Amino acid sequence: CVPQVVERCVAAAGYSVGEFAALVFAGALGFAEALYAVKVRAEAMQKASEAVPSGMLSVMGRPEANYRFACLEARKHCESLGIENPVCTVSNYLFPDSRVIAGHLQALEYLQQNARKYYFTRTKMLPVSGAFHTRLMEPAVEPLAEVLKSIEIQKPLLCVYSNVDGKKYMHSKHIRKLLVKQVVSPVLWEQTMHSVYERKQGTEFPYTYEVGPGNQLGAILRKCNLKAWKQYRHVDALEDEEAEET
């Protein structure tokens, strides 16, 4: 069944760094070149993280939660502490009532302490070293842009959706531009799910496969689109390799 699935696949998307895997799958990037670009990206983002005490906060909110207003007040709090140009913004749109907010640690601590005021039902610091997908990652832009200039990029053989705007990549220049922009832009995953599964009333939903460790994207799909999730399968590549070895 797996070769047929690959042959019939019509669209792909990857969450954050997973976008490189989606583009490799779609024939836009070579595997080795993509791996090298991911290495450069990771090292540059780590270096940017070390420059400012920052992080990411997973937030569940009630329907009346206003994430932008909460971030604005958190930035004002940072300014009162003497922090210039503080960063606190939504960095990942996961599903309705769930966001990741990233920025200066003092801003995230403020949001945790004032969670009830902003109608947040749960907040949890993520085990990451920096505020990914915010302007605090600007030092990582140039190194990634340089490496992508040196790599051959083709037009994808099937639709690949970008994290930056939730729309399909059009051509190689478009891919270069948005992969760089993605480092400092929020991941619009909820919006991407709406783009991928938008169809006329009564049209059947396609089979969806999540490839890799964990099934977090499946859990998000269930919250975004229950009908699409009913056709979802998880494929753990590591489990398949282990089965072959034994």
Side-chain angles (χ1 to χ4, degrees):
C1 131
V2 173
Q4 287 178 332
V5 166
V6 173
E7 283 166 23
R8 292 177 186 172
C9 186
V10 293
Y15 184 94
S16 189
V17 72
E19 205 161 275
F20 285 84
L23 287 163
V24 169
F25 175 74
L29 290 172
F31 178 73
E33 289 92 339
L35 211 55
Y36 177 60
V38 165
K39 179 178 180 284
V40 170
R41 178 184 183 273
E43 288 169 353
M45 288 172 83
Q46 181 58 35
K47 197 173 176 185
S49 299
E50 288 162 7
V52 178
S54 58
M56 303 180 84
L57 183 72
S58 174
V59 177
M60 292 282 287
R62 283 169 38 194
E64 58 266 46
N66 186 330
Y67 302 94
R68 283 187 183 179
F69 177 67
C71 289
L72 174 66
E73 295 221 318
R75 290 196 298 272
K76 284 181 180 173
H77 168 73
C78 285
E79 284 169 357
S80 75
L81 299 176
I83 298 168
E84 287 183 24
N85 298 319
V87 171
C88 183
T89 184
V90 174
S91 62
N92 305 68
Y93 292 81
L94 302 179
F95 54 85
D97 305 329
S98 179
R99 306 277 186 275
V100 175
I101 293 173
H104 281 81
L105 281 181
Q106 296 90 333
L108 304 182
E109 286 161 4
Y110 169 83
L111 290 177
Q112 282 194 295
Q113 288 160 7
N114 295 276
R116 287 182 68 184
K117 177 183 176 183
Y118 301 113
Y119 303 103
F120 297 164
T121 54
R122 200 188 79 195
T123 61
K124 184 185 176 185
M125 287 297 293
L126 297 179
V128 296
S129 57
F132 304 138
H133 303 291
T134 72
R135 65 177 169 83
L136 288 176
M137 290 294 114
E138 272 171 11
V141 164
E142 197 55 39
L144 180 58
E146 283 302 311
V147 77
L148 288 174
K149 273 182 202 169
S150 69
I151 289 174
E152 192 180 347
I153 300 178
Q154 310 281 348
K155 185 179 177 180
L157 298 171
L158 49 99
C159 296
V160 180
Y161 290 81
S162 166
N163 287 181
V164 172
D165 57 10
K167 295 175 183 174
K168 298 168 192 172
Y169 280 115
M170 304 308 291
H171 46 72
S172 57
K173 272 189 182 175
H174 195 211
I175 292 170
R176 278 192 183 93
K177 183 183 173 184
L178 292 192
L179 279 181
V180 172
K181 198 176 177 186
Q182 191 229 57
V183 170
V184 289
S185 304
V187 174
L188 305 185
W189 193 254
E190 182 184 340
Q191 295 86 331
T192 300
M193 291 298 92
H194 293 319
S195 295
V196 170
Y197 296 104
E198 188 180 11
R199 57 220 333 103
K200 288 177 183 170
Q201 193 82 24
T203 310
E204 282 190 20
F205 284 95
Y207 284 100
T208 298
Y209 295 87
E210 179 177 0
V211 182
N215 54 6
Q216 293 93 330
L217 298 181
I220 291 172
L221 176 59
R222 185 175 184 176
K223 296 281 176 74
C224 287
N225 191 322
L226 186 60
K227 285 183 180 176
W229 174 80
K230 286 178 179 173
Q231 304 280 54
Y232 161 88
R233 305 282 185 278
H234 175 242
V235 179
D236 193 326
L238 293 175
E239 272 180 22
D240 290 350
E241 281 176 21
E242 283 165 14
E244 282 172 20
E245 283 166 12
T246 54

